[in-house]
Structure formats: C-alpha cells, structure tokens
Amino acid sequence: MISFQNISKIFPPEVTALEDVTLEVQSGELLCLIGTSGCGKTTLLKTVNRLIEPSSGHILIDGQDISRLNPIALRRNIGYVIQQTGLFPHLTVEENICYVLRITGRKKALWASRAEELMDIIGMKREYLRRFPRELSGGQQQRVGVAHALAANPNIILMDEPFGAIDQITRIQLQDELVKLQDRLHKTIIFVTHDLQEAIKLADRIALMNQRKIIQIGTANELLFFPKNNFVENFMGSSSFFNVMRLLPVEEGLVYDYPVFRLSQQGDLRQKAEQKARNLRWQEYPVIDGEDHLVGFFTVDGPTKGDPHPADVLLSPKITFEQALKKLFVSGKSRLPVATEDNKIVGFFDFAQAYEIIRKSCNY
C-alpha cells in the first residue's frame, strides 16, 4: 500500500504544486490521477520514486517512510513508464528490458529468459529483441517501455501519460493490453492521464485533482453519479446524459443473479433453473460446462432433450454501457450474455437494469 500523508510541494521561489494531499493506494489497485493542466498530478506521481521530494508530509510504502530509503535503490524497485518511453536508443530491445537487471547485479544468465518472458506478456514477437528502438513503431516502443518497467518484477509501477503520444487506434489497443496485464499481474499502479475515458476504462478508482489538491476519490460510478461539487460534476460530464452512457462500463448494467444450468447437474436442477427463468419472465436460460464456459441456451418450456442452441450475440466485458445498449437494441432481445475472451460467462446486460441506470442519470 502507498500512503500519501499531508503532502505539499513548493518550488522556488514560491510556486505551490501540491497542497496537503492525503491519499491511500491499495495493493494491487490501479489508481488514475486526472485533472486540469497544472493541477499537480505528475508532481504527485514523481514523489513516489523521489524524483521530486515533497516540501512537507510523508509517503509510506507498506508502512515504511520512503524518505529514509536510498532514492536510487527505491527507484530500481519501482517500475516507471513515461510518454517518451524512456528507452536508450543505442541499446537493443533486450538490453533495454534487462537494463535494471544489469545495474542491480542480477545474473546475466537470467536476462535472456526474462526478456523473452516479458515479450510474451506484452504481446510482441521475440525476434524484436535484437532490434533497436528506432526500428519499432510508437506502439511497439511503448510496449517495450512497459516490459522495461516490469523487468525486475516490481510491486509498484508509475505511469505518466504513457499512451499520450500514440494514435487513437494504437492507444485503445495498448489500453486493452494494460487491462489484460493488470488482470494477470495485479500490480499497484498509479496512472496519470488527461483522458477521462482512458481513466474510466483502466482505473479501479479515480483521484480527480484541481488547483494542487485532490477534490474527490472514488470509482467512476461514484464520481459520475455522486459528484462532490460542481467542479467534479462538470469535469465528469455528469450533467450530460450521453457522456454518462459513453463513460459507464458495461458492468453497471449487469445482472449477476440469473438462472443457469450446468451440464454436469441432474435433470431436477434443470427444472429449477427453468422455473427461475419462468419466474423472471426469461424466455431462455444459459447452459454452462464445469468451468463456467457458456455452451448455449435452453428455451423455457422447450424440448427436454437435445443440445442447447448457441448464443446469437455475446458482449465483451470491456465495452462501454453505450456500446452494449446499442447491441441490445439491434438484437431485439431483453438481455444479452456477457462473456470473457475464453467464453466464461460474467453476467447478463439486462434492459431493466439498464433502464434504472438511464433513469438515474436523467434524474440526477
């Protein structure tokens, strides 16, 4: 856990960059810092690895005051990704990735295997290890920058607008890769961005800053629907119905308690699933295997024998509320299943649930 305790920063002669910031970042959390230009978000980020020393206050990592640590040793144990990638142009991709391993005295025999492992994690072919940064695209350079930050397997990663200089299509791809990476590695990440949609897509929580202070911290849903003041409301676009639809994740409209039949179960449990579907006025209910993979659907009051019919439309849990709503309307159904890439069912995007979210946003 990272604990910011009453952090202030004054640059000479008398320029206040941070003012009494108190914040806790939980282990394994991805926290986005966002706000107006000059609000102090990058300054706050850099206090974690002591690239900037606070004028007052304390920062604790897992209960230890970092002001008492050697700053060089501290930085070597914190991943750092910036917009310009931070790669050394005269080093190959492999040498860039393994740079921290080399300067910290790790055995050279481990470098190649670690570099190959990280190339697999970031979704790049191992053949790129022999290339130089200038031979890569901007998106590939950013991926290598992430691999470089992960090389020493740090628990904490700082990311300062890492996708800010990338074209929109590549940016979305890199955001998706980061989501997958975080699901797998569960690092503690502080991510600075000026892009609200990026923050909502990536963050477990968002810290919204203005005029050197944190104004509100919470989930995207909390900031959208329960803004602390007019600044938060205006920044989040809470007063705009269409902004809310674009920014809300699909999870906000999901039903998690649904009738389901597992193939390994007996017939009487299928009857219970069918009865539950009937009580909810569902016309069909999902069939899953022993590992929760969606096999198909049985129709209520349909044949008791035969294979389930396949799903017509599957939604990804990564899409926005707006995208899910469009697919729901086009399908002509009252609800659609949401499943991961390996076809594990997450829940159902349900029109009744969506209606409540829409009504709430309109009445806010």
Side-chain angles (χ1 to χ4, degrees):
M1 182 176 70
I2 307 171
S3 178
F4 298 86
Q5 300 179 354
N6 307 107
I7 298 298
S8 295
K9 177 62 182 178
I10 301 175
F11 290 103
E14 290 293 332
V15 179
T16 301
L18 294 171
E19 187 175 338
D20 197 31
V21 173
T22 295
L23 166 68
E24 288 193 351
V25 185
Q26 302 300 318
S27 297
E29 176 180 31
L30 196 160
L31 178 92
C32 274
L33 297 175
I34 192 168
T36 53
S37 297
C39 67
K41 50 188 183 290
T42 292
T43 301
L44 184 64
L45 181 85
K46 289 182 177 181
T47 61
V48 179
N49 59 3
R50 296 183 61 186
L51 288 176
I52 293 177
E53 298 283 1
S55 303
S56 62
H58 300 276
I59 298 173
L60 278 63
I61 295 179
D62 294 331
Q64 189 170 18
D65 191 332
I66 66 171
S67 66
R68 300 176 182 176
L69 302 177
N70 180 293
I72 302 301
L74 174 70
R75 289 167 198 154
R76 289 175 179 174
N77 286 287
I78 295 177
Y80 188 41
V81 187
I82 59 176
Q83 187 175 124
Q84 295 79 16
T85 73
L87 301 179
F88 298 108
H90 62 288
L91 299 182
T92 65
V93 167
E94 181 176 353
E95 291 168 336
N96 267 287
I97 291 174
C98 297
Y99 181 77
V100 175
L101 301 180
R102 179 169 67 84
I103 63 177
T104 53
R106 308 290 177 90
K107 293 182 178 179
K108 190 172 182 179
L110 301 176
W111 295 1
S113 61
R114 181 59 174 160
E116 290 175 351
E117 177 188 4
L118 287 166
M119 292 296 277
D120 294 340
I121 288 175
I122 63 173
M124 285 183 66
K125 295 179 180 178
R126 295 181 179 183
E127 63 191 58
Y128 286 98
L129 286 168
R130 303 291 178 267
R131 299 190 183 184
F132 290 90
R134 64 178 178 273
E135 300 176 281
L136 307 179
S137 68
Q140 289 170 336
Q141 290 182 31
Q142 285 300 146
R143 284 185 169 88
V144 174
V146 172
H148 169 83
L150 290 169
N153 197 26
N155 292 323
I156 297 171
I157 300 175
L158 309 177
M159 308 187 80
D160 190 3
E161 300 200 51
F163 310 144
I166 305 294
D167 66 88
Q168 184 65 15
I169 293 176
T170 305
R171 184 183 185 123
I172 291 172
Q173 292 173 345
L174 289 173
Q175 290 168 354
D176 291 341
E177 290 298 326
L178 181 59
V179 170
K180 293 178 186 177
L181 195 65
Q182 180 64 351
D183 287 343
R184 176 177 175 180
L185 301 179
H186 303 290
K187 299 294 184 181
T188 302
I189 301 176
I190 302 179
F191 190 107
V192 169
T193 181
H194 64 274
D195 186 330
L196 180 56
Q197 293 193 34
E198 181 171 70
I200 289 177
K201 179 177 182 177
L202 298 178
D204 296 307
R205 287 190 304 154
I206 297 170
L208 177 56
M209 299 184 69
N210 187 41
Q211 296 181 342
R212 308 170 299 279
K213 298 180 180 180
I214 291 179
I215 307 303
Q216 186 172 350
I217 306 169
T219 63
N221 190 45
E222 289 168 342
L223 269 66
L224 280 166
F225 290 114
F226 306 101
K228 184 176 180 179
N229 54 30
N230 288 337
F231 171 78
V232 179
E233 180 176 354
N234 292 332
F235 190 94
M236 297 297 295
S238 302
S239 58
S240 168
F241 166 75
F242 291 105
N243 256 351
V244 172
M245 294 302 101
R246 280 191 294 269
L247 296 175
L248 277 176
V250 69
E251 285 91 342
E252 296 298 334
L254 292 193
V255 169
Y256 297 99
D257 182 18
Y258 49 86
V260 63
F261 176 69
R262 194 181 298 272
L263 284 177
S264 59
Q265 293 174 333
Q266 301 301 315
D268 59 336
L269 292 178
R270 175 177 172 179
Q271 293 174 4
K272 289 182 179 179
E274 185 164 317
Q275 185 59 51
K276 184 174 182 179
R278 193 179 294 110
N279 293 341
L280 292 171
R281 297 184 179 179
W282 286 31
Q283 300 302 311
E284 57 185 14
Y285 55 96
V287 181
I288 60 177
D289 63 16
E291 296 182 345
D292 294 337
H293 295 110
L294 181 63
V295 177
F297 286 84
F298 280 138
T299 303
V300 172
D301 298 326
T304 58
K305 296 183 179 180
D307 295 329
H309 62 268
D312 296 325
V313 182
L314 280 177
L315 301 181
S316 165
K318 296 172 185 169
I319 66 175
T320 65
F321 194 97
E322 180 188 46
Q323 291 169 325
L325 201 59
K326 287 179 180 177
K327 289 181 179 293
L328 186 69
F329 287 153
V330 169
S331 73
K333 295 180 177 291
S334 298
R335 65 199 57 82
L336 290 173
V338 179
T340 60
E341 287 185 354
D342 60 353
N343 212 36
K344 286 188 177 181
I345 192 163
V346 175
F348 279 81
F349 185 77
D350 183 79
F351 179 77
Q353 182 85 350
Y355 170 79
E356 286 302 313
I357 297 294
I358 294 170
R359 184 183 62 81
K360 188 176 181 181
S361 69
C362 291
N363 292 338
Y364 176 77

